[in-house]
Amino acid sequence: MEKDNIIEVKNLHVDIAMTEGTLTPVRGVNFEIKRGETLGLVGESGSGKSLTCKAILGINDKKCKASGQILFNSKESGEMDLLSLNPKGKEIRNVRGKQISMIFQEPMVAFSPMYTIGNQINECTLLHITKDKKKAKEISMEVMRKVGIANVEKRYNQYPHEFSGGMLQRALIAMALVCNPDMLIADEPTTALDVTIQAQILELMKEMQKEFNMAILFITHDLGVVARMCDRVAVMYLGKVVESGDAKTIYANPQHPYTRGLIGSVHKIGGKKEERLFSIEGTVPLAMNLPEACGFYDRCDARIEGLCNKADPELVEIEPGHQIACFNCPHEACKAQRAKAEQMIKEREERETAKAANEPAKSKKKKWGRK
């Protein structure tokens, strides 16, 4: 593991056993994040973004079986593999909420309606910082002030239903930041907010990141938010990263057809009124009993018949820091992968042909043997 990296996710798989078969919503995800850096994880609903992030903290449903490696560079314990830890053990509890925090999608659902906001923020403070209730309350109230919650003395004793959507999101950020974590996972933190509140929340997160030198894993499907917040971008589709690179490169020169489709579907300032936005046909397929083919094959406008439907491309580096998983790409690395895949398909078809040719001969021998 590199010293600058705070986390490295290697070949992460999440499998869910069901009566119909095995669901594979995460299929070999790889990425790393440096300290103080923001990585945007982008993709449609059903791409496996949230399951990937919950696997880091070990909070997926017990039916979800995670495999691979999630290496975390802890200041307290050094390098550790989070997947090897007991999800209910002391070691992961020391990481969860203290060293790695998470902002969940819906603040109204994330908070319990039975307890006050102050009580719920205080729970994290009492668990990880101090057992002194008076001191814990002071720390919690100070963090609430930092995130822009006015009249903290009153707000501390109020319930979630007494907060507006934007204020509730600020309280959720306060709960995530109260222990000064090394890494923050933000799972679509601005989805339910209007544009002005969204801008305030994003600005707040950037300020908190500078203050605590946090790494942020930012999950969203809003490319405008990604452009504003993220240093690097990883585009996910059907449980795999199909393109990754720094944000400027991805926006200026997207290479994967899916990335081009996502960027093309966003309205641009100065665009003509009569211009129709690009639309990616179809939906993300169910990740069960998938064929050995590119996951984006059915929806892709640049697919290669006889190749994309028979082999699944891997991530290759086309320029420093820019990776793509696609056969139909002009770069040398993609061409080399394409040639390798074509050779593999040819050899496989030859084996299948030879096997089919031998089967009638075997059945004939068995028939004569009976007589």
Side-chain angles (χ1 to χ4, degrees):
M1 185 175 184
E2 291 184 20
K3 289 182 180 179
D4 292 341
N5 292 343
I6 188 168
I7 197 164
E8 290 182 8
V9 177
K10 297 182 177 181
N11 197 31
L12 177 65
H13 288 76
V14 176
D15 299 327
I16 305 171
M18 303 179 73
T19 52
E20 301 88 349
T22 302
L23 195 67
T24 53
V26 180
R27 307 181 297 133
V29 168
N30 295 277
F31 63 80
E32 67 283 329
I33 309 175
K34 292 179 171 59
R35 292 187 185 276
E37 182 184 51
T38 303
L39 173 69
L41 206 56
V42 184
E44 293 171 274
S45 296
S47 294
K49 306 184 300 296
S50 294
L51 283 173
T52 298
C53 296
K54 287 179 181 179
I56 293 173
L57 290 173
I59 56 174
N60 275 324
D61 190 271
K62 60 182 180 182
K63 290 182 181 178
C64 301
K65 303 299 179 187
S67 60
Q69 279 189 312
I70 300 176
L71 303 177
F72 177 60
N73 192 357
S74 169
K75 287 180 179 178
E76 296 182 12
S77 311
E79 185 181 319
M80 60 171 70
D81 183 2
L82 299 181
L83 282 186
S84 66
L85 303 179
N86 179 358
K88 294 182 180 179
K90 188 178 179 180
E91 285 180 292
I92 191 67
R93 286 177 181 273
N94 190 46
V95 172
R96 194 186 292 151
K98 183 181 180 183
Q99 299 178 63
I100 303 177
S101 286
M102 186 165 181
I103 302 171
F104 295 93
Q105 285 191 31
E106 295 290 341
M108 191 60 82
V109 177
F111 281 110
S112 169
M114 304 298 292
Y115 298 93
T116 63
I117 292 293
N119 182 288
Q120 293 180 68
I121 296 174
N122 232 19
E123 186 179 357
C124 196
T125 315
L126 288 166
L127 181 64
H128 293 299
I129 300 176
T130 178
K131 299 297 180 185
D132 187 327
K133 290 184 179 180
K134 188 177 178 181
K135 191 175 180 182
K137 183 178 179 179
E138 289 173 3
I139 293 169
S140 299
M141 290 175 75
E142 182 58 33
V143 175
M144 288 174 74
R145 288 190 188 95
K146 277 186 179 179
V147 299
I149 296 175
N151 197 3
V152 171
E153 289 75 12
K154 181 183 176 183
R155 291 289 191 179
Y156 184 87
N157 295 310
Q158 288 183 331
Y159 289 85
H161 70 272
E162 297 178 272
F163 278 57
S164 66
M167 203 57 70
L168 207 57
Q169 191 67 66
R170 288 175 185 270
L172 196 58
I173 292 171
M175 189 163 67
L177 299 181
V178 72
C179 294
N180 299 345
D182 297 322
M183 179 177 167
L184 178 67
I185 300 171
D187 190 358
E188 301 195 20
T190 58
T191 300
L193 306 177
D194 61 63
V195 178
T196 52
I197 301 298
Q198 185 184 87
Q200 291 173 15
I201 295 297
L202 293 178
E203 195 59 40
L204 170 65
M205 288 179 68
K206 288 174 84 172
E207 287 173 9
M208 295 293 105
Q209 182 180 29
K210 285 180 183 177
E211 185 174 341
F212 300 124
N213 192 31
M214 286 187 306
I216 297 179
L217 178 56
F218 198 96
I219 308 163
T220 184
H221 54 260
D222 188 335
L223 292 170
V225 172
V226 171
R228 180 172 181 173
M229 279 292 295
C230 303
D231 303 305
R232 291 191 303 112
V233 181
V235 182
M236 275 189 77
Y237 183 81
L238 197 59
K240 298 185 82 172
V241 175
V242 295
E243 186 168 6
S244 67
D246 66 82
K248 288 182 180 178
T249 302
I250 295 292
Y251 275 84
N253 187 29
Q255 292 293 306
H256 197 280
Y258 181 58
T259 312
R260 290 200 297 266
L262 289 176
I263 293 173
S265 63
V266 178
H267 180 69
K268 295 171 182 64
I269 295 173
K272 296 178 182 178
K273 287 183 180 179
E274 61 272 13
E275 253 182 38
R276 290 182 67 86
L277 293 176
F278 181 80
S279 175
I280 304 173
E281 293 182 3
T283 56
V284 180
L286 184 68
M288 183 184 288
N289 304 321
L290 294 170
E292 192 174 345
C294 174
F296 193 54
Y297 170 75
D298 291 330
R299 306 174 69 191
C300 184
D301 57 0
R303 58 179 176 261
I304 303 169
E305 298 293 341
L307 176 61
C308 296
N309 59 328
K310 294 183 179 180
D312 194 7
E314 297 295 328
L315 275 177
V316 292
E317 193 168 55
I318 58 175
E319 58 182 328
H322 191 182
Q323 296 177 311
I324 178 178
C326 184
F327 291 127
N328 196 357
C329 174
H331 295 273
E332 291 302 320
C334 296
K335 287 179 180 178
Q337 182 178 217
R338 177 175 173 175
K340 188 178 177 181
E342 286 172 342
Q343 181 62 31
M344 182 191 70
I345 292 167
K346 185 181 177 182
E347 290 173 0
R348 186 172 64 203
E349 288 176 346
E350 285 174 355
R351 286 195 301 269
E352 288 172 357
T353 304
K355 186 180 178 182
N358 290 332
E359 280 178 359
K362 287 180 182 179
S363 61
K364 195 173 182 180
K365 284 179 183 179
K366 285 179 182 179
K367 186 178 178 183
W368 283 105
R370 288 194 202 101
K371 285 186 175 181

